[in-house]
Structures are given as structure tokens and as C-alpha cells.
Amino acid sequence: PDVIIEAQFDDNDAEHGQDHLQDMLVDDIKKLSLDTGEKVKAVGINDVHRAKQDDGSKVNDPRLLPDKFLQRTAKVVYILEKKHSRAATGFIKLLADKNSELFRRCAMFSPVDHRVPRVYVSLADCPPDFVTRPEDYSNILFICRIVDWKEDSNFATGQLSKSLGQAGEIEPETEGILTEYGVDFSDFPPEALECLPQSLPWVISPGEMAKRRDLR
């Protein structure tokens, strides 16, 4: 669907602006209206009626209104770059409708971040005893990656990547945040560790300290 971005303005200004706009339109109509007397004699009744209609259409033309009273709209035409990692942390639970065909195939993933949609995940990705003991996983954090979101569906579809552990603990919560933002927190490779000093504990030499500004 099209995305409409609303212009930001003060409601009070908008209310006063409507009154000002109405007064301005009335003044314009008065200026554009034909005078009585000689002009009425010069033209016929039908011509006067036609002239008033033309003048009214000019006044109602939105292109003649000040920019302050116009609502700008826009349409997304192209996705230049996907910034979100499509990964989210959250909890899994059984679907509410136990008689549906979807209940036997999928579970519901509810992200902690409410900006991310809820996701259908396959029961094959869930723990083996999840269907029989769903309450055991009510407080377990999972990582889910969104793979698709059909236009006619309220929920996306995704795959469970891994179980992080108990919600509220430091390590699972930290790993979940890093994964959501695409931060690589894996161990450094040997090539990166070899460039570091090998003789520990390492100290800065006096000659090096003389060339540096001590900011400790």
C-alpha cells in the first residue's frame, strides 16, 4: 500500500488558518464578482452566471492556496537499501485457534520490539517438546529472522535461528541486541590476534610514553 507522510503543523495554527483562509476566499470572491448596474446591462443573465461559476472554480483551485494549507503526500517507489537485519528477539507461543490447519504447522513468534511484526514460524524449527509443554518456553528468548511478508497477510513468515536463554539475564539480552543490529560479536580470528603483543603483561615503553600525551 501507498505510504502517506503527513506534514507537521500546529493544530491551533490550522484552526486559525482555516478562519483566515475563509476570510481570504470571501475577499477574493468579492473582488471577482461582477458589479451591479452597468455591467449587468452590458451582459446577459446567462453570461453573469457563467462568469460567477468560472470565478468560483478559480477560487477553489488548490494550486492558488498558500502552501501552509496544503497536505503533501508521497509514494514509495523504490527500496534503495534494506537497513534492518530482519532479525528480532522474542518469544514463541502456540496459535490461539487449535482447530485450524495453521495450528498444526506453525507457531507464533512475538518480537520484543513492537515495531517488528509478529511472525509465523514452522513448528519444525521449535524445540521438540514445545507443542506438549509450551509453558516451559514462555520466558525463553529466541532469535527469529523474517524471510517473507505477503501483502495479504497480517503476519510475516520467518525462521527460528537459535535459543538465547532466559529473558532478563544479561548475556541473552546482550546477544539479542547485537544480533538485531547486525553486530559481529564472534571471536577474533588467529590472524587478528597475531598482530597483538604476545608477551603479557604488556606495558608501554618509556620511550613511547615520552612521545605520547597521557590521558589516563
Side-chain angles (χ1 to χ4, degrees):
D2 297 343
V3 177
I4 299 178
I5 302 177
E6 296 185 354
Q8 297 180 356
F9 59 91
D10 191 0
D11 292 341
N12 295 328
D13 293 342
E15 293 177 0
H16 296 302
Q18 292 293 338
D19 297 336
H20 174 69
L21 177 61
Q22 185 176 0
D23 296 338
M24 184 178 64
L25 292 178
V26 171
D27 294 338
D28 291 340
I29 293 174
K30 290 180 180 178
K31 293 178 183 178
L32 295 172
S33 299
L34 292 174
D35 295 334
T36 58
E38 295 179 357
K39 291 185 178 180
V40 174
K41 296 178 182 178
V43 296
I45 298 299
N46 293 334
D47 295 333
V48 174
H49 181 65
R50 188 181 303 110
K52 288 184 177 182
Q53 286 183 335
D54 295 340
D55 294 339
S57 63
K58 292 179 180 178
V59 173
N60 293 328
D61 189 350
R63 292 174 297 180
L64 302 179
L65 299 178
D67 291 344
K68 182 178 181 180
F69 304 109
L70 298 180
Q71 174 64 67
R72 290 175 173 82
T73 61
K75 180 178 181 180
V76 177
V77 296
Y78 183 73
I79 298 176
L80 184 63
E81 182 182 0
K82 294 182 178 180
K83 300 294 291 184
H84 198 275
S85 63
R86 299 299 189 273
T89 60
F91 306 93
I92 57 174
K93 58 183 179 181
L94 295 176
L95 299 180
D97 188 2
K98 297 183 179 181
N99 298 322
S100 64
E101 177 65 25
L102 201 60
F103 178 85
R104 292 186 284 271
R105 295 186 292 106
C106 297
M108 178 64 70
F109 175 82
S110 297
V112 175
D113 188 349
H114 296 291
R115 296 173 297 178
V116 182
R118 285 181 290 177
V119 184
Y120 285 132
V121 294
S122 174
L123 287 177
D125 295 340
C126 299
D129 58 342
F130 168 67
V131 177
T132 57
R133 304 179 62 181
E135 64 277 359
D136 292 350
Y137 300 92
S138 61
N139 201 38
I140 301 295
L141 280 175
F142 288 86
I143 289 287
C144 176
R145 292 192 178 274
I146 297 175
V147 297
D148 191 18
W149 192 0
K150 299 185 182 301
E151 295 182 357
D152 58 349
S153 176
N154 292 330
F155 307 110
T157 57
Q159 294 178 342
L160 287 183
S161 298
K162 61 182 297 187
S163 172
L164 297 178
Q166 289 287 333
E169 296 183 358
I170 296 296
E171 292 185 1
E173 297 281 356
T174 302
E175 183 177 349
I177 294 173
L178 295 175
T179 304
E180 286 182 355
Y181 285 92
V183 179
D184 184 8
F185 55 93
S186 59
D187 295 336
F188 287 101
E191 294 80 6
L193 297 177
E194 288 175 357
C195 69
L196 299 177
Q198 302 300 318
S199 57
L200 300 178
W202 179 78
V203 294
I204 302 177
S205 62
E208 188 69 26
M209 285 291 296
K211 299 185 297 182
R212 298 190 180 202
R213 181 181 177 185
D214 194 350
L215 298 175
R216 292 176 295 180

